[in-house]
Amino acid sequence: MTESSATFGFRDVDAAEKPGLVRGVFDRVASRYDLMNDVMSVGVHRLWKDMAAARLNPQPGERIIDCAGGTGDIAERLAKLARAAKMRRGGPDAEILIVDYNAEMVAEGRKRGLSREIAW
C-alpha cells in the first residue's frame, strides 16, 4: 500500500476512490442493513444496541444527536426509553436527531415511520 492508497476489503485502492466505494456499499445494502446485522451477529447486535441505549439513559426534554444513525434503529430505542421515563415522571418529549452521510440509509429509516420524536 502506498501513501496515496487505502485498503478497501481485501484490496488496495486509490485513497480518493475509497469514500465513493464505501458509500456504494451502503447504498446497495440499505434496505437489508438491519437484517444483515441480525444474520452476521446472530441477533446479538440487538442486545448491544439495547445496552448502549440503556447506558445513555435518555430523559424527557433532552436533545440527542445520533451521528451516523443510519436506519434509525438506535434512535428508536432512545425514543422508547425517553417516552417511558416521561410516562413515569412527566416532562417534554425528548428530541432525537439522526444525521447520516448516506441518503439511502436515511431513506430506509424514514420509510419505517419511526417515532415522532425523531427528526432526520
Short mmCIF file of all heavy atoms in Angstrom, two decimals, residues 7-77:
data_model
loop_
_atom_site.label_atom_id
_atom_site.label_comp_id
_atom_site.label_asym_id
_atom_site.label_seq_id
_atom_site.Cartn_x
_atom_site.Cartn_y
_atom_site.Cartn_z
N THR A 7 -6.95 0.79 2.01
CA THR A 7 -7.47 -0.57 1.98
C THR A 7 -8.99 -0.53 1.88
O THR A 7 -9.66 0.20 2.61
CB THR A 7 -7.05 -1.33 3.25
OG1 THR A 7 -5.64 -1.32 3.34
CG2 THR A 7 -7.55 -2.75 3.23
N PHE A 8 -9.52 -1.32 0.97
CA PHE A 8 -10.96 -1.48 0.82
C PHE A 8 -11.21 -2.96 0.63
O PHE A 8 -10.88 -3.53 -0.40
CB PHE A 8 -11.48 -0.67 -0.37
CG PHE A 8 -12.97 -0.80 -0.56
CD1 PHE A 8 -13.85 -0.14 0.29
CD2 PHE A 8 -13.49 -1.60 -1.56
CE1 PHE A 8 -15.21 -0.26 0.13
CE2 PHE A 8 -14.85 -1.73 -1.73
CZ PHE A 8 -15.71 -1.06 -0.88
N GLY A 9 -11.79 -3.58 1.65
CA GLY A 9 -11.96 -5.03 1.60
C GLY A 9 -10.60 -5.69 1.62
O GLY A 9 -9.78 -5.42 2.48
N PHE A 10 -10.36 -6.51 0.64
CA PHE A 10 -9.10 -7.24 0.57
C PHE A 10 -8.18 -6.70 -0.53
O PHE A 10 -7.34 -7.42 -1.05
CB PHE A 10 -9.37 -8.73 0.33
CG PHE A 10 -10.15 -9.35 1.44
CD1 PHE A 10 -11.50 -9.64 1.29
CD2 PHE A 10 -9.54 -9.63 2.65
CE1 PHE A 10 -12.23 -10.21 2.32
CE2 PHE A 10 -10.27 -10.20 3.70
CZ PHE A 10 -11.60 -10.49 3.53
N ARG A 11 -8.37 -5.43 -0.87
CA ARG A 11 -7.52 -4.85 -1.92
C ARG A 11 -7.17 -3.42 -1.59
O ARG A 11 -7.81 -2.77 -0.77
CB ARG A 11 -8.22 -4.93 -3.28
CG ARG A 11 -9.52 -4.16 -3.35
CD ARG A 11 -10.28 -4.46 -4.63
NE ARG A 11 -11.59 -3.87 -4.59
CZ ARG A 11 -12.00 -2.87 -5.33
NH1 ARG A 11 -11.18 -2.35 -6.23
NH2 ARG A 11 -13.22 -2.39 -5.23
N ASP A 12 -6.14 -2.95 -2.24
CA ASP A 12 -5.74 -1.55 -2.11
C ASP A 12 -6.37 -0.76 -3.25
O ASP A 12 -6.41 -1.22 -4.40
CB ASP A 12 -4.22 -1.41 -2.17
CG ASP A 12 -3.53 -2.02 -0.96
OD1 ASP A 12 -4.20 -2.16 0.09
OD2 ASP A 12 -2.35 -2.36 -1.05
N VAL A 13 -6.89 0.42 -2.91
CA VAL A 13 -7.49 1.29 -3.91
C VAL A 13 -6.91 2.68 -3.74
O VAL A 13 -6.31 3.00 -2.72
CB VAL A 13 -9.03 1.35 -3.77
CG1 VAL A 13 -9.66 -0.02 -4.00
CG2 VAL A 13 -9.44 1.91 -2.43
N ASP A 14 -7.08 3.51 -4.75
CA ASP A 14 -6.67 4.90 -4.64
C ASP A 14 -7.44 5.54 -3.48
O ASP A 14 -8.65 5.35 -3.34
CB ASP A 14 -6.98 5.63 -5.95
CG ASP A 14 -6.46 7.04 -5.94
OD1 ASP A 14 -7.16 7.90 -5.35
OD2 ASP A 14 -5.38 7.28 -6.50
N ALA A 15 -6.76 6.26 -2.63
CA ALA A 15 -7.38 6.86 -1.44
C ALA A 15 -8.57 7.75 -1.79
O ALA A 15 -9.56 7.78 -1.05
CB ALA A 15 -6.34 7.64 -0.64
N ALA A 16 -8.49 8.45 -2.90
CA ALA A 16 -9.59 9.33 -3.30
C ALA A 16 -10.82 8.55 -3.74
O ALA A 16 -11.93 9.05 -3.72
CB ALA A 16 -9.12 10.26 -4.43
N GLU A 17 -10.62 7.31 -4.12
CA GLU A 17 -11.70 6.46 -4.61
C GLU A 17 -12.48 5.79 -3.46
O GLU A 17 -13.65 5.45 -3.60
CB GLU A 17 -11.07 5.37 -5.50
CG GLU A 17 -12.01 4.53 -6.27
CD GLU A 17 -11.24 3.48 -7.09
OE1 GLU A 17 -10.00 3.55 -7.21
OE2 GLU A 17 -11.92 2.57 -7.58
N LYS A 18 -11.84 5.63 -2.30
CA LYS A 18 -12.44 4.85 -1.21
C LYS A 18 -13.78 5.40 -0.71
O LYS A 18 -14.72 4.62 -0.52
CB LYS A 18 -11.46 4.71 -0.05
CG LYS A 18 -12.01 3.83 1.05
CD LYS A 18 -11.01 3.55 2.14
CE LYS A 18 -11.63 2.68 3.21
NZ LYS A 18 -10.65 2.29 4.22
N PRO A 19 -13.94 6.71 -0.46
CA PRO A 19 -15.24 7.19 0.04
C PRO A 19 -16.41 6.81 -0.86
O PRO A 19 -17.47 6.41 -0.39
CB PRO A 19 -15.06 8.71 0.12
CG PRO A 19 -13.59 8.90 0.29
CD PRO A 19 -12.96 7.81 -0.52
N GLY A 20 -16.22 6.89 -2.16
CA GLY A 20 -17.28 6.52 -3.10
C GLY A 20 -17.58 5.02 -3.06
O GLY A 20 -18.74 4.62 -3.17
N LEU A 21 -16.54 4.22 -2.88
CA LEU A 21 -16.74 2.78 -2.78
C LEU A 21 -17.51 2.41 -1.51
O LEU A 21 -18.42 1.59 -1.55
CB LEU A 21 -15.38 2.06 -2.81
CG LEU A 21 -14.62 2.15 -4.11
CD1 LEU A 21 -13.20 1.61 -3.94
CD2 LEU A 21 -15.35 1.40 -5.22
N VAL A 22 -17.15 3.03 -0.41
CA VAL A 22 -17.85 2.78 0.85
C VAL A 22 -19.31 3.21 0.74
O VAL A 22 -20.22 2.47 1.14
CB VAL A 22 -17.14 3.49 2.03
CG1 VAL A 22 -17.97 3.41 3.30
CG2 VAL A 22 -15.75 2.90 2.25
N ARG A 23 -19.53 4.39 0.20
CA ARG A 23 -20.90 4.87 0.03
C ARG A 23 -21.70 3.92 -0.85
O ARG A 23 -22.87 3.63 -0.57
CB ARG A 23 -20.89 6.27 -0.58
CG ARG A 23 -22.27 6.86 -0.67
CD ARG A 23 -22.21 8.29 -1.07
NE ARG A 23 -23.27 8.55 -2.01
CZ ARG A 23 -23.29 9.53 -2.85
NH1 ARG A 23 -22.28 10.37 -2.91
NH2 ARG A 23 -24.29 9.70 -3.66
N GLY A 24 -21.08 3.41 -1.89
CA GLY A 24 -21.76 2.46 -2.77
C GLY A 24 -22.20 1.20 -2.05
O GLY A 24 -23.29 0.68 -2.30
N VAL A 25 -21.37 0.71 -1.14
CA VAL A 25 -21.74 -0.47 -0.35
C VAL A 25 -22.99 -0.18 0.46
O VAL A 25 -23.95 -0.95 0.46
CB VAL A 25 -20.58 -0.91 0.57
CG1 VAL A 25 -21.05 -1.94 1.58
CG2 VAL A 25 -19.42 -1.45 -0.25
N PHE A 26 -23.01 0.95 1.17
CA PHE A 26 -24.16 1.28 1.99
C PHE A 26 -25.40 1.58 1.14
O PHE A 26 -26.51 1.25 1.54
CB PHE A 26 -23.84 2.42 2.96
CG PHE A 26 -23.03 1.95 4.13
CD1 PHE A 26 -21.66 2.09 4.13
CD2 PHE A 26 -23.64 1.36 5.22
CE1 PHE A 26 -20.90 1.64 5.19
CE2 PHE A 26 -22.90 0.91 6.29
CZ PHE A 26 -21.52 1.05 6.29
N ASP A 27 -25.21 2.17 -0.03
CA ASP A 27 -26.34 2.39 -0.95
C ASP A 27 -26.99 1.05 -1.31
O ASP A 27 -28.21 0.94 -1.33
CB ASP A 27 -25.87 3.06 -2.24
CG ASP A 27 -25.61 4.55 -2.10
OD1 ASP A 27 -25.95 5.13 -1.06
OD2 ASP A 27 -25.04 5.13 -3.05
N ARG A 28 -26.15 0.06 -1.59
CA ARG A 28 -26.67 -1.23 -2.04
C ARG A 28 -27.33 -2.03 -0.93
O ARG A 28 -28.24 -2.82 -1.19
CB ARG A 28 -25.55 -2.05 -2.68
CG ARG A 28 -25.13 -1.55 -4.05
CD ARG A 28 -24.19 -2.52 -4.75
NE ARG A 28 -22.95 -2.76 -4.04
CZ ARG A 28 -21.88 -1.95 -4.07
NH1 ARG A 28 -21.92 -0.83 -4.77
NH2 ARG A 28 -20.79 -2.26 -3.42
N VAL A 29 -26.87 -1.90 0.30
CA VAL A 29 -27.40 -2.75 1.37
C VAL A 29 -28.42 -2.05 2.27
O VAL A 29 -28.95 -2.66 3.19
CB VAL A 29 -26.27 -3.32 2.26
CG1 VAL A 29 -25.29 -4.13 1.43
CG2 VAL A 29 -25.58 -2.24 3.06
N ALA A 30 -28.73 -0.79 2.02
CA ALA A 30 -29.58 -0.01 2.94
C ALA A 30 -30.89 -0.72 3.28
O ALA A 30 -31.28 -0.77 4.45
CB ALA A 30 -29.86 1.38 2.35
N SER A 31 -31.56 -1.27 2.30
CA SER A 31 -32.87 -1.89 2.57
C SER A 31 -32.75 -3.18 3.37
O SER A 31 -33.72 -3.64 3.96
CB SER A 31 -33.62 -2.15 1.27
OG SER A 31 -32.93 -3.11 0.50
N ARG A 32 -31.56 -3.77 3.40
CA ARG A 32 -31.35 -5.02 4.11
C ARG A 32 -30.34 -4.90 5.25
O ARG A 32 -29.91 -5.89 5.81
CB ARG A 32 -30.86 -6.09 3.12
CG ARG A 32 -31.81 -6.36 2.00
CD ARG A 32 -31.27 -7.33 0.96
NE ARG A 32 -29.94 -7.06 0.43
CZ ARG A 32 -29.63 -6.17 -0.51
NH1 ARG A 32 -30.57 -5.43 -1.05
NH2 ARG A 32 -28.40 -6.02 -0.93
N TYR A 33 -29.97 -3.66 5.58
CA TYR A 33 -28.89 -3.43 6.53
C TYR A 33 -29.15 -4.06 7.90
O TYR A 33 -28.31 -4.77 8.44
CB TYR A 33 -28.63 -1.92 6.68
CG TYR A 33 -27.47 -1.61 7.59
CD1 TYR A 33 -26.17 -1.76 7.14
CD2 TYR A 33 -27.69 -1.15 8.88
CE1 TYR A 33 -25.10 -1.48 7.98
CE2 TYR A 33 -26.62 -0.87 9.72
CZ TYR A 33 -25.33 -1.03 9.26
OH TYR A 33 -24.28 -0.76 10.08
N ASP A 34 -30.32 -3.82 8.46
CA ASP A 34 -30.61 -4.35 9.79
C ASP A 34 -30.74 -5.88 9.77
O ASP A 34 -30.27 -6.56 10.69
CB ASP A 34 -31.85 -3.68 10.38
CG ASP A 34 -31.60 -2.20 10.66
OD1 ASP A 34 -30.50 -1.86 11.14
OD2 ASP A 34 -32.49 -1.40 10.36
N LEU A 35 -31.34 -6.42 8.73
CA LEU A 35 -31.41 -7.88 8.57
C LEU A 35 -30.00 -8.46 8.46
O LEU A 35 -29.69 -9.49 9.07
CB LEU A 35 -32.24 -8.25 7.34
CG LEU A 35 -32.26 -9.73 6.98
CD1 LEU A 35 -32.88 -10.56 8.09
CD2 LEU A 35 -33.00 -9.93 5.66
N MET A 36 -29.15 -7.79 7.68
CA MET A 36 -27.77 -8.23 7.52
C MET A 36 -27.06 -8.27 8.88
O MET A 36 -26.35 -9.22 9.20
CB MET A 36 -27.06 -7.28 6.56
CG MET A 36 -25.69 -7.71 6.13
SD MET A 36 -25.01 -6.56 4.91
CE MET A 36 -24.73 -5.11 5.90
N ASN A 37 -27.28 -7.24 9.71
CA ASN A 37 -26.69 -7.24 11.05
C ASN A 37 -27.23 -8.38 11.90
O ASN A 37 -26.48 -8.99 12.68
CB ASN A 37 -26.94 -5.90 11.75
CG ASN A 37 -25.99 -4.83 11.30
OD1 ASN A 37 -24.91 -5.11 10.81
ND2 ASN A 37 -26.40 -3.59 11.47
N ASP A 38 -28.53 -8.67 11.77
CA ASP A 38 -29.11 -9.79 12.51
C ASP A 38 -28.41 -11.10 12.13
O ASP A 38 -28.04 -11.89 13.00
CB ASP A 38 -30.61 -9.94 12.19
CG ASP A 38 -31.49 -9.01 13.01
OD1 ASP A 38 -31.07 -8.59 14.10
OD2 ASP A 38 -32.61 -8.72 12.55
N VAL A 39 -28.24 -11.31 10.84
CA VAL A 39 -27.63 -12.55 10.36
C VAL A 39 -26.17 -12.64 10.80
O VAL A 39 -25.73 -13.66 11.34
CB VAL A 39 -27.77 -12.67 8.83
CG1 VAL A 39 -26.95 -13.83 8.29
CG2 VAL A 39 -29.24 -12.81 8.44
N MET A 40 -25.42 -11.56 10.56
CA MET A 40 -23.97 -11.61 10.86
C MET A 40 -23.68 -11.73 12.35
O MET A 40 -22.68 -12.33 12.73
CB MET A 40 -23.27 -10.38 10.28
CG MET A 40 -23.20 -10.40 8.78
SD MET A 40 -22.15 -9.12 8.06
CE MET A 40 -22.70 -7.64 8.85
N SER A 41 -24.54 -11.16 13.20
CA SER A 41 -24.28 -11.21 14.64
C SER A 41 -25.16 -12.24 15.35
O SER A 41 -25.12 -12.34 16.57
CB SER A 41 -24.51 -9.83 15.27
OG SER A 41 -25.89 -9.55 15.35
N VAL A 42 -25.96 -12.97 14.59
CA VAL A 42 -26.93 -13.92 15.13
C VAL A 42 -27.84 -13.20 16.14
O VAL A 42 -28.18 -13.73 17.19
CB VAL A 42 -26.23 -15.16 15.76
CG1 VAL A 42 -27.23 -16.27 16.01
CG2 VAL A 42 -25.10 -15.66 14.89
N GLY A 43 -28.19 -11.96 15.84
CA GLY A 43 -29.10 -11.18 16.66
C GLY A 43 -28.47 -10.49 17.86
O GLY A 43 -29.12 -9.69 18.52
N VAL A 44 -27.22 -10.77 18.13
CA VAL A 44 -26.56 -10.20 19.31
C VAL A 44 -26.44 -8.68 19.20
O VAL A 44 -26.46 -7.98 20.22
CB VAL A 44 -25.18 -10.87 19.54
CG1 VAL A 44 -24.42 -10.21 20.67
CG2 VAL A 44 -25.36 -12.35 19.85
N HIS A 45 -26.38 -8.15 17.99
CA HIS A 45 -26.26 -6.69 17.84
C HIS A 45 -27.44 -5.97 18.48
O HIS A 45 -27.30 -4.85 18.96
CB HIS A 45 -26.10 -6.29 16.36
CG HIS A 45 -27.38 -6.29 15.59
ND1 HIS A 45 -28.02 -5.12 15.23
CD2 HIS A 45 -28.14 -7.30 15.14
CE1 HIS A 45 -29.12 -5.43 14.57
NE2 HIS A 45 -29.22 -6.73 14.50
N ARG A 46 -28.59 -6.62 18.51
CA ARG A 46 -29.76 -6.01 19.17
C ARG A 46 -29.53 -5.84 20.67
O ARG A 46 -29.92 -4.84 21.25
CB ARG A 46 -31.02 -6.84 18.92
CG ARG A 46 -31.46 -6.81 17.48
CD ARG A 46 -32.65 -7.75 17.26
NE ARG A 46 -33.02 -7.72 15.87
CZ ARG A 46 -33.96 -6.92 15.37
NH1 ARG A 46 -34.58 -6.08 16.15
NH2 ARG A 46 -34.25 -6.97 14.09
N LEU A 47 -28.90 -6.83 21.28
CA LEU A 47 -28.57 -6.73 22.70
C LEU A 47 -27.57 -5.61 22.94
O LEU A 47 -27.70 -4.85 23.91
CB LEU A 47 -28.01 -8.06 23.21
CG LEU A 47 -28.94 -9.26 23.13
CD1 LEU A 47 -28.20 -10.53 23.52
CD2 LEU A 47 -30.17 -9.05 23.98
N TRP A 48 -26.55 -5.51 22.09
CA TRP A 48 -25.56 -4.44 22.24
C TRP A 48 -26.23 -3.08 22.13
O TRP A 48 -25.94 -2.16 22.91
CB TRP A 48 -24.49 -4.54 21.15
CG TRP A 48 -23.65 -5.77 21.17
CD1 TRP A 48 -23.33 -6.55 22.25
CD2 TRP A 48 -23.02 -6.38 20.05
NE1 TRP A 48 -22.54 -7.60 21.86
CE2 TRP A 48 -22.33 -7.52 20.51
CE3 TRP A 48 -22.97 -6.07 18.69
CZ2 TRP A 48 -21.60 -8.35 19.67
CZ3 TRP A 48 -22.25 -6.89 17.86
CH2 TRP A 48 -21.56 -8.02 18.35
N LYS A 49 -27.11 -2.93 21.15
CA LYS A 49 -27.78 -1.65 20.95
C LYS A 49 -28.71 -1.33 22.11
O LYS A 49 -28.80 -0.18 22.55
CB LYS A 49 -28.52 -1.64 19.62
CG LYS A 49 -27.57 -1.64 18.43
CD LYS A 49 -28.29 -1.77 17.12
CE LYS A 49 -27.29 -1.78 15.98
NZ LYS A 49 -27.93 -1.84 14.67
N ASP A 50 -29.42 -2.34 22.62
CA ASP A 50 -30.28 -2.12 23.79
C ASP A 50 -29.44 -1.69 24.99
O ASP A 50 -29.83 -0.79 25.74
CB ASP A 50 -31.05 -3.39 24.14
CG ASP A 50 -32.18 -3.70 23.16
OD1 ASP A 50 -32.60 -2.78 22.42
OD2 ASP A 50 -32.65 -4.85 23.15
N MET A 51 -28.29 -2.33 25.18
CA MET A 51 -27.42 -1.97 26.31
C MET A 51 -26.87 -0.56 26.15
O MET A 51 -26.80 0.20 27.12
CB MET A 51 -26.28 -2.99 26.46
CG MET A 51 -26.76 -4.33 26.96
SD MET A 51 -25.51 -5.60 27.30
CE MET A 51 -24.14 -5.21 26.29
N ALA A 52 -26.48 -0.20 24.94
CA ALA A 52 -25.94 1.15 24.70
C ALA A 52 -27.02 2.20 24.96
O ALA A 52 -26.76 3.23 25.60
CB ALA A 52 -25.42 1.27 23.26
N ALA A 53 -28.24 1.96 24.49
CA ALA A 53 -29.33 2.91 24.70
C ALA A 53 -29.65 3.03 26.19
O ALA A 53 -29.84 4.15 26.69
CB ALA A 53 -30.57 2.47 23.92
N ALA A 54 -29.68 1.91 26.90
CA ALA A 54 -29.95 1.95 28.35
C ALA A 54 -28.84 2.69 29.08
O ALA A 54 -29.11 3.47 30.01
CB ALA A 54 -30.10 0.53 28.89
N ARG A 55 -27.62 2.48 28.65
CA ARG A 55 -26.48 3.17 29.28
C ARG A 55 -26.57 4.69 29.07
O ARG A 55 -26.23 5.47 29.96
CB ARG A 55 -25.18 2.62 28.70
CG ARG A 55 -23.94 3.24 29.18
CD ARG A 55 -23.55 2.71 30.50
NE ARG A 55 -22.30 3.32 30.89
CZ ARG A 55 -21.62 2.96 31.93
NH1 ARG A 55 -22.07 2.00 32.69
NH2 ARG A 55 -20.51 3.55 32.23
N LEU A 56 -27.04 5.11 27.90
CA LEU A 56 -27.21 6.55 27.63
C LEU A 56 -28.34 7.14 28.48
O LEU A 56 -28.33 8.33 28.77
CB LEU A 56 -27.49 6.79 26.15
CG LEU A 56 -26.29 6.61 25.24
CD1 LEU A 56 -26.72 6.63 23.79
CD2 LEU A 56 -25.25 7.68 25.51
N ASN A 57 -29.33 6.30 28.83
CA ASN A 57 -30.40 6.71 29.74
C ASN A 57 -31.07 8.01 29.30
O ASN A 57 -31.08 9.00 30.03
CB ASN A 57 -29.85 6.82 31.16
CG ASN A 57 -30.93 6.95 32.20
OD1 ASN A 57 -32.06 6.52 31.98
ND2 ASN A 57 -30.60 7.54 33.33
N PRO A 58 -31.67 8.04 28.10
CA PRO A 58 -32.29 9.27 27.59
C PRO A 58 -33.45 9.71 28.48
O PRO A 58 -34.23 8.88 28.97
CB PRO A 58 -32.77 8.88 26.20
CG PRO A 58 -32.92 7.40 26.26
CD PRO A 58 -31.89 6.91 27.21
N GLN A 59 -33.56 11.02 28.66
CA GLN A 59 -34.56 11.59 29.56
C GLN A 59 -35.48 12.55 28.81
O GLN A 59 -35.11 13.11 27.78
CB GLN A 59 -33.86 12.33 30.70
CG GLN A 59 -33.01 11.43 31.58
CD GLN A 59 -33.83 10.36 32.28
OE1 GLN A 59 -34.82 10.67 32.94
NE2 GLN A 59 -33.43 9.11 32.11
N PRO A 60 -36.68 12.76 29.35
CA PRO A 60 -37.59 13.73 28.74
C PRO A 60 -36.93 15.10 28.63
O PRO A 60 -36.17 15.51 29.51
CB PRO A 60 -38.76 13.79 29.73
CG PRO A 60 -38.68 12.53 30.52
CD PRO A 60 -37.23 12.16 30.57
N GLY A 61 -37.17 15.76 27.52
CA GLY A 61 -36.64 17.10 27.31
C GLY A 61 -35.22 17.16 26.78
O GLY A 61 -34.75 18.23 26.41
N GLU A 62 -34.53 16.04 26.72
CA GLU A 62 -33.16 16.06 26.20
C GLU A 62 -33.17 16.16 24.68
O GLU A 62 -34.10 15.71 24.02
CB GLU A 62 -32.40 14.78 26.61
CG GLU A 62 -32.05 14.72 28.05
CD GLU A 62 -31.21 13.51 28.40
OE1 GLU A 62 -31.24 12.50 27.69
OE2 GLU A 62 -30.52 13.59 29.42
N ARG A 63 -32.10 16.74 24.14
CA ARG A 63 -31.85 16.75 22.70
C ARG A 63 -30.69 15.80 22.45
O ARG A 63 -29.61 15.99 22.99
CB ARG A 63 -31.49 18.15 22.22
CG ARG A 63 -32.66 19.07 22.24
CD ARG A 63 -32.33 20.40 21.59
NE ARG A 63 -33.48 21.26 21.68
CZ ARG A 63 -33.55 22.32 22.47
NH1 ARG A 63 -32.52 22.68 23.19
NH2 ARG A 63 -34.65 23.05 22.50
N ILE A 64 -30.94 14.82 21.64
CA ILE A 64 -29.96 13.77 21.37
C ILE A 64 -29.67 13.76 19.88
O ILE A 64 -30.60 13.75 19.07
CB ILE A 64 -30.49 12.40 21.82
CG1 ILE A 64 -30.82 12.42 23.32
CG2 ILE A 64 -29.50 11.30 21.48
CD1 ILE A 64 -31.64 11.24 23.79
N ILE A 65 -28.39 13.75 19.52
CA ILE A 65 -28.00 13.66 18.12
C ILE A 65 -27.34 12.31 17.90
O ILE A 65 -26.34 11.99 18.54
CB ILE A 65 -27.03 14.80 17.74
CG1 ILE A 65 -27.69 16.15 17.98
CG2 ILE A 65 -26.60 14.64 16.27
CD1 ILE A 65 -26.78 17.33 17.77
N ASP A 66 -27.92 11.53 17.02
CA ASP A 66 -27.38 10.21 16.67
C ASP A 66 -26.58 10.37 15.38
O ASP A 66 -27.14 10.38 14.29
CB ASP A 66 -28.54 9.22 16.51
CG ASP A 66 -28.08 7.80 16.21
OD1 ASP A 66 -26.86 7.56 16.11
OD2 ASP A 66 -28.96 6.94 16.08
N CYS A 67 -25.28 10.53 15.52
CA CYS A 67 -24.40 10.68 14.35
C CYS A 67 -24.17 9.31 13.71
O CYS A 67 -23.95 8.33 14.41
CB CYS A 67 -23.07 11.29 14.76
SG CYS A 67 -23.24 12.98 15.35
N ALA A 68 -24.21 9.27 12.40
CA ALA A 68 -24.11 8.02 11.65
C ALA A 68 -25.25 7.09 12.07
O ALA A 68 -25.07 5.90 12.24
CB ALA A 68 -22.74 7.36 11.82
N GLY A 69 -26.44 7.68 12.22
CA GLY A 69 -27.61 6.96 12.73
C GLY A 69 -28.25 5.99 11.76
O GLY A 69 -29.14 5.25 12.15
N GLY A 70 -27.80 5.99 10.51
CA GLY A 70 -28.27 5.01 9.54
C GLY A 70 -29.77 4.93 9.43
O GLY A 70 -30.46 5.91 9.16
N THR A 71 -30.31 3.74 9.68
CA THR A 71 -31.74 3.48 9.54
C THR A 71 -32.55 3.90 10.76
O THR A 71 -33.77 3.76 10.77
CB THR A 71 -32.00 2.00 9.25
OG1 THR A 71 -31.48 1.23 10.34
CG2 THR A 71 -31.33 1.57 7.95
N GLY A 72 -31.89 4.37 11.79
CA GLY A 72 -32.59 4.89 12.96
C GLY A 72 -32.92 3.88 14.03
O GLY A 72 -33.68 4.17 14.95
N ASP A 73 -32.35 2.69 13.97
CA ASP A 73 -32.72 1.68 14.96
C ASP A 73 -32.28 2.04 16.38
O ASP A 73 -33.01 1.78 17.34
CB ASP A 73 -32.23 0.30 14.55
CG ASP A 73 -30.74 0.19 14.37
OD1 ASP A 73 -30.08 1.21 14.10
OD2 ASP A 73 -30.21 -0.93 14.49
N ILE A 74 -31.15 2.68 16.53
CA ILE A 74 -30.72 3.10 17.88
C ILE A 74 -31.55 4.30 18.32
O ILE A 74 -31.98 4.37 19.48
CB ILE A 74 -29.21 3.39 17.92
CG1 ILE A 74 -28.44 2.08 17.75
CG2 ILE A 74 -28.84 4.08 19.23
CD1 ILE A 74 -26.94 2.23 17.72
N ALA A 75 -31.82 5.23 17.43
CA ALA A 75 -32.64 6.39 17.77
C ALA A 75 -34.02 5.95 18.24
O ALA A 75 -34.59 6.52 19.18
CB ALA A 75 -32.76 7.33 16.57
N GLU A 76 -34.58 4.93 17.61
CA GLU A 76 -35.87 4.41 18.02
C GLU A 76 -35.81 3.85 19.44
O GLU A 76 -36.72 4.06 20.25
CB GLU A 76 -36.36 3.34 17.04
CG GLU A 76 -37.74 2.83 17.32
CD GLU A 76 -38.84 3.87 17.14
OE1 GLU A 76 -38.72 4.73 16.27
OE2 GLU A 76 -39.82 3.83 17.91
N ARG A 77 -34.74 3.16 19.76
CA ARG A 77 -34.57 2.66 21.13
C ARG A 77 -34.49 3.81 22.13
O ARG A 77 -35.08 3.75 23.22
CB ARG A 77 -33.31 1.82 21.22
CG ARG A 77 -33.40 0.46 20.58
CD ARG A 77 -32.01 -0.19 20.47
NE ARG A 77 -32.08 -1.59 20.13
CZ ARG A 77 -32.24 -2.06 18.90
NH1 ARG A 77 -32.38 -1.22 17.89
NH2 ARG A 77 -32.29 -3.35 18.67
#
